[in-house]
Amino acid sequence: MIDIAPAPALHAIDEDAAWEAFHARDRSADGRFVVAVRTTGIYCRPSCAARRPRREHVRFLDSPQAARAAGFRACLRCLPDAVARDRQAVAAAIAAIDAAETPPPLDRLAAQVGYAPHHFHRLFKRATGVTPAAYARARRTARATQALAAEPSVTAALYEAGYAAPSRFYADSDQRLGMAPGQWRRGGEGVSIVWTVAPSSMGPLLVAMTERGLARVAFEDDERALSQSLPAAELRPADTPTRDRIARIVTATEAPDPLLAEPARRLSFIEAVSRALLDAG
Ligand SMILES: [Zn+2]
């Protein structure tokens, strides 16, 4: 038990809001303050996965330095001193994936930003909601769907998007386009699509599905862009049970770290929702 003197008044921190963020393990609060626990002598970032102490044992401080000055030690689980460095590492990895022709392997990515692969994998997932590999796949799928609309042939489009072999794309096009690439290029000819717009913490999200997979997941509040990109497909609004099921999955998907760049945040969220929808069948 240390630091039994009453805590000095804190001007910068709203204690109730801080407790709420700590209790909810809110990642967006990381870096804004640290949580020192009097009974253990340890300080944590707000999102630390450790069990929550009672509120009267907790003290909120505006920086790791302040916590150390008050005699607390950094938690070995959440590494509160590394928040800024972690964020930089994730941002650098995202930039590397976005710029790469083909997705860089985890080992190389982690080495580039100076972390051990396993640790980096975990912190990337914590910040974005998806693994580095899943983020890279999402980036490549986004490129492929763009290229399919622009390039003269499916094969040319897939090479353009960074696929070493078209067969790799065909293998997941069912899930990722909801149809074969050739059908996609023909505007969704003969394909039946069910769509809905679900509210999410990041804004309205259009989800369009076929019997085979996802035809479109995008931050849009109506089906206009969907019908423009797939003019030959048959579009139907989802029935109530389907709409509710999709809304539940979207609501349950956690938003990525708000300090990530917006395009990466949106892509990560779309990928996390897509994964959850596909896993739910
Ligand atoms: Zn901790």
Side-chain angles (χ1 to χ4, degrees):
M1 194 81 156
I2 59 164
D3 185 48
I4 33 178
L10 291 165
H11 50 101
I13 299 172
D14 173 340
E15 299 252 340
D16 287 338
W19 172 257
E20 212 167 283
F22 176 53
H23 207 255
R25 295 188 167 84
D26 179 0
R27 276 175 294 135
S28 68
D30 289 2
R32 287 201 267 129
F33 60 89
V34 297
V35 186
V37 183
R38 292 192 177 92
T39 44
T40 58
I42 282 172
Y43 67 95
C44 286
R45 57 173 88 193
S47 71
C48 182
R51 202 164 57 83
R52 291 306 178 244
R54 301 216 328 241
R55 182 165 176 175
E56 60 265 35
H57 294 149
V58 155
R59 198 179 144 185
F60 300 106
L61 293 150
D62 57 12
S63 67
Q65 293 85 329
R68 286 195 298 273
F72 294 95
R73 292 186 321 278
C75 171
L76 292 175
R77 187 160 175 186
C78 67
L79 305 173
D81 298 351
V83 170
R85 184 171 173 246
D86 287 357
R87 280 204 165 110
Q88 277 164 11
V90 170
I94 283 172
I97 294 171
D98 287 351
E101 286 255 310
T102 52
L106 176 65
D107 288 10
R108 184 142 50 90
L109 217 47
Q112 242 172 41
V113 295
Y115 283 78
H118 178 74
H119 176 61
F120 176 69
H121 188 267
R122 216 176 46 193
L123 94 96
F124 190 97
K125 175 123 201 259
R126 191 167 61 204
T128 63
V130 297
T131 64
Y135 179 85
R137 266 199 310 274
R139 175 55 71 211
R140 196 163 58 165
T141 304
R143 273 193 212 133
T145 49
Q146 268 173 8
L148 278 173
E151 295 295 318
S153 76
V154 171
T155 306
L158 299 183
Y159 282 121
E160 173 67 28
Y163 282 89
S167 59
R168 296 285 294 276
F169 183 72
Y170 281 92
D172 47 50
S173 67
D174 257 15
Q175 290 195 337
R176 297 303 175 150
L177 299 179
M179 64 195 81
Q183 282 176 302
W184 179 272
R185 280 178 64 79
R186 291 191 302 277
E189 198 181 82
V191 177
S192 171
I193 296 175
V194 165
W195 65 273
T196 183
V197 174
S200 85
S201 54
M202 294 178 61
L205 190 74
L206 174 113
V207 174
M209 308 180 83
T210 70
E211 287 201 319
R212 293 158 73 168
L214 301 166
R216 187 181 186 90
V217 181
F219 286 100
E220 290 159 1
D221 52 16
D222 60 37
E223 82 287 18
R224 246 179 313 170
L226 173 68
S227 65
Q228 272 164 17
S229 71
L230 296 169
E234 182 215 339
L235 304 186
R236 255 181 315 123
D239 60 21
T240 307
T242 307
R243 206 182 57 209
D244 291 351
R245 191 173 63 81
I246 291 173
R248 268 199 306 278
I249 289 171
V250 172
T251 310
T253 305
E254 219 182 314
D257 186 333
L259 292 188
L260 288 177
E262 204 50 29
R265 267 193 99 212
R266 290 160 86 96
L267 187 68
S268 303
F269 188 74
I270 285 170
E271 177 60 21
V273 166
S274 301
R275 199 64 263 163
L277 286 165
L278 291 168
D279 288 347

